[in-house]
Amino acid sequence: NAGVTQTPKFRILKIGQSMTLQCTQDMNHNYMYWYRQDPGMGLKLIYYSVGAGITDKGEVPNGYNVSRSTTEDFPLRLELAAPSQTSVYFCASSIEGQPNEKLFFGSGTQLSVL
Amino acid sequence: AQSVTQLGSHVSVSEGALVLLRCNYSSSVPPYLFWYVQYPNQGLQLLLKYTSAATLVKGINGFEAEFKKSETSFHLTKPSAHMSDAAEYFCAVRGAAGNKLTFGGGTRVLVKP
């Protein structure tokens, strides 16, 4: 099993450009999440999904969009990149989102907006 | 609402010394508590979790954590640090009725030879 796979690993964007961060998992997990990690701030939830066709906002959704057309894929879209979106982005998944479940994380995408 | 506070963004320990990472939480419901570890250039991995079965929880790589309700704490310890323990450690809390984790700011551990 590959687990949770994120692409690309690194990306530099110019202000105003758009891009999609890809995330796919092969564990048949229903729940998927997008987090951003900023130094000293821990991880902040951007969006999450409880199943194909269902998405919801997390703590910091502004400037981002997501879709969930399949169980496996959960792409994150940045429409107009801003310097404040410079961060490390992690995708994660879990089976059913139960309180005691662990999350499986991808290896992250380091994004710089200049 | 729930929150997590990790005291100390950086901790430096000598190889063989005790590792102690502090985590305090707030939660309006009995919490589920987790410690995750992030090695350089990798995603987070679960170290251990508390789910009310026992207050002392043992995890991987010799780590353990003790849930103290009266102190709203879930500190992580390891008796003897190894060079491979150099990483960033995150405490996280999830309320029983919710399905979203709230993370602390993280503590980066440096192990000196």
Side-chain angles (χ1 to χ4, degrees), chain A residues 31 37 42 90 98-100 103 106, chain B residues 36 38 43 49 90 94 96 104:
Chain A
Y31 282 66
Q37 181 183 24
F90 287 98
Q98 293 301 312
N100 62 345
L103 268 61
Chain B
Y36 281 83
Q38 184 182 27
K49 63 181 179 181
F90 293 92
R94 176 185 272 165

Side-chain angles (χ1 to χ4, degrees), chain B residues 1-3 25-32 72 93-96:
Chain B
Q2 56 199 30
S3 65
Y25 70 91
S26 68
S27 176
S28 57
V29 297
Y32 292 86
T72 61
V93 63
R94 176 185 272 165

Side-chain angles (χ1 to χ4, degrees), chain A residues 20-88:
Chain A
T20 299
L21 281 67
Q22 301 291 346
C23 175
T24 186
Q25 52 92 8
D26 61 359
M27 298 174 283
N28 202 32
H29 286 173
N30 288 321
Y31 282 66
M32 296 187 73
Y33 312 81
W34 274 106
Y35 288 91
R36 58 177 288 171
Q37 181 183 24
D38 301 303
M41 302 297 290
L43 279 75
K44 301 294 184 184
L45 183 65
I46 305 171
Y47 271 95
Y48 68 102
S49 169
V50 303
I54 306 170
T55 62
D56 206 350
K57 296 178 180 179
E59 301 173 76
V60 290
N62 291 344
Y64 306 94
N65 279 300
V66 294
S67 60
R68 185 93 182 271
S69 57
T70 67
T71 299
E72 296 78 17
D73 300 309
F74 190 41
L76 178 72
R77 178 84 177 163
L78 283 70
E79 290 294 350
L80 291 170
S84 61
Q85 293 178 305
T86 294
S87 188
V88 181

